[in-house]
Amino acid sequence: MSYKCSRCKRDVQLDEYGGVRCPYCGHRVLLKERSRDVKEVGVQ
C-alpha cells in the first residue's frame, strides 16, 4: 500500500514488519494515498 510522508512529501511503501516511519526523513505521520477511481452511489 502506498503512503505519502506529510513532511517531505515522498512516496513510502510500508513493509509488513516495520514501523510507521518515513525512511527518508524519519517523520511518523504518513498520509494514505486516495484512489483516483470515481465511485457512484445509488440514490433512492
Side-chain angles (χ1 to χ4, degrees):
M1 190 171 293
S2 180
Y3 293 86
K4 187 173 289 254
C5 176
S6 67
R7 181 184 284 166
C8 70
K9 308 294 189 227
R10 294 179 78 172
D11 289 329
V12 176
Q13 294 291 330
L14 296 182
D15 59 0
E16 299 173 13
Y17 308 106
V20 179
R21 186 177 292 265
C22 176
Y24 305 106
C25 71
H27 197 60
R28 293 180 9 178
V29 177
L30 302 177
L31 306 172
K32 186 174 180 181
E33 290 286 302
R34 290 185 175 216
S35 138
R36 297 192 188 273
D37 297 337
V38 176
K39 296 181 182 178
E40 292 186 28
V41 178
V43 178
Q44 294 181 358

